[in-house]
Amino acid sequence: MSSIFTSKHILLGITGSIAAYKAAELASRLTQEGAQVDVILTPAAERFVAPLTFQSVTGRKAFTEAELWGGEAHVLHVGLGHSADLLVIAPCTANTIARLAHGIADDLLTITALAARCPIIIAPAMDVGMYTHPATQENIRLLNERGLHFAGPGEGRMASGLTGKGRMLEPAELLGHMRLILGKNGKLAGRKVVVTAGGTQEPIDPVRVITNRSSGKQGYALAQAALDAGAQVTLITAPTALSAPVGARLIEVRTAAEMLEAVLAESAGVDALLMAAAVADFRPKKAAENKLKKQDGILQIELEAAPDILETVAGQKSRKNRPCLVVGFAAESRDLVKNASAKLSSKKLDMIVANDITAPDSGFAVNTNRVTLLFKDAKVESLPLMSKAEVAEVILERVAGMLPKA
Ligand code: C5P
């Protein structure tokens, strides 16, 4: 199994901003994901961080101005620029943005950027006044027009003590932007995928809910894998503690009824609906208007069936409202294959992903999963223990294989 970064050659340009210290984490995470990371520091960047920092996390030589005037000189920038899959400049100062906009190539990084033919992502980092200055805004417009990608900046506290727009995005978010660019032409390019995730919450009163132990991890991993494959992704999520993958359109819901409404609105005519959410089967018949009091004694909560989303999707009369492929999930504590295959046919699914929630390394909250895939044509595929990200990759691979040619 491979991450989207495996064997990718990433050039990481670093310019003179205090946010340069965060670039060390970015370089480290990219390296851990399997990328080959070549770092180029501008002379100003070297005043904030040392090449040794980057050499230590990437295991590769970090390039500086010294190399530009060294033995390899002119071939270096062309070589670096031509072999890269992606050039990311993080942090990128107002000065470097201006130099890039005007084709000025006066250091190794800007020379490389000019020679590079790969996509370029810029993560601006500067004071709010510099960011909003018409000169900077005009340069950004120019670069956007030329097809460079901007990631951020975000808003918040700056080194100057001021608060405003100009903060470099955090490494995790920058990785999300990089994935979007690297996955753009993947197997699911041009396809629309809707993913549901998390455990729904059914109110008992204004403070209490009935919910379940779903963490949303498998659903979020599916949304990320679909984005990595180039799909346009809508993530319909019940409350979770997770950050949404960069690039997904997020729709937040709480109850099964809200999720049903969102799924019907969003999944009409899409290529695939992946129903990974743990949707309530029962809900309180009526939620109390006020908080229930202990003094009122032990109460009985009357339950009723929550709507079954997959059955409603499958039961839709108009064919064009139905997603092309529907994938369900089954968390089972016994008779895994038997129960899952009954759901596959009763919910009219194309595929069901079954997992045994009694295994300690599989199911709720953990980062790994051991699943069995059951298909409409009765084929069964048991996967070994994998990370939820790897499971998601296999599922999306099967989905891509089952979709009719676009
Ligand atoms: O029957 P069971 O709840 O185990 O089926 C699981 C599958 O059905 C999951 O894909 C889940 O998202 C979906 N489901 C649903 N509506 C419900 C309950 C479950 O769509 N009310």
Side-chain angles (χ1 to χ4, degrees), residues 196 275-281 306-310 327-330 332 343 347:
T196 66
M275 219 26 234
V279 186
D281 289 325
D308 192 300
I309 300 175
L310 282 179
V327 178
F329 289 74
E332 302 291 344
K343 278 177 200 172
K347 299 196 182 203

Side-chain angles (χ1 to χ4, degrees), residues 19 49 52 112 121 169 209 267 279:
V49 283
L52 184 60
T112 306
I121 299 181
L169 293 187
V209 294
S267 68
V279 186

Side-chain angles (χ1 to χ4, degrees), residues 93-110:
T93 58
N95 178 46
T96 300
I97 288 176
R99 289 184 297 143
L100 292 171
H102 298 282
I104 296 169
D106 58 356
D107 61 16
L108 182 58
L109 178 59
T110 47

Side-chain angles (χ1 to χ4, degrees), residues 54 69 71 115 130 143 208 216 273-274 304 330 352 359 396:
F54 293 91
W69 305 110
M130 295 169 81
L143 291 172
R208 302 178 179 96
L273 167 65
L274 312 179
E304 64 177 9
I352 193 157
L396 267 308

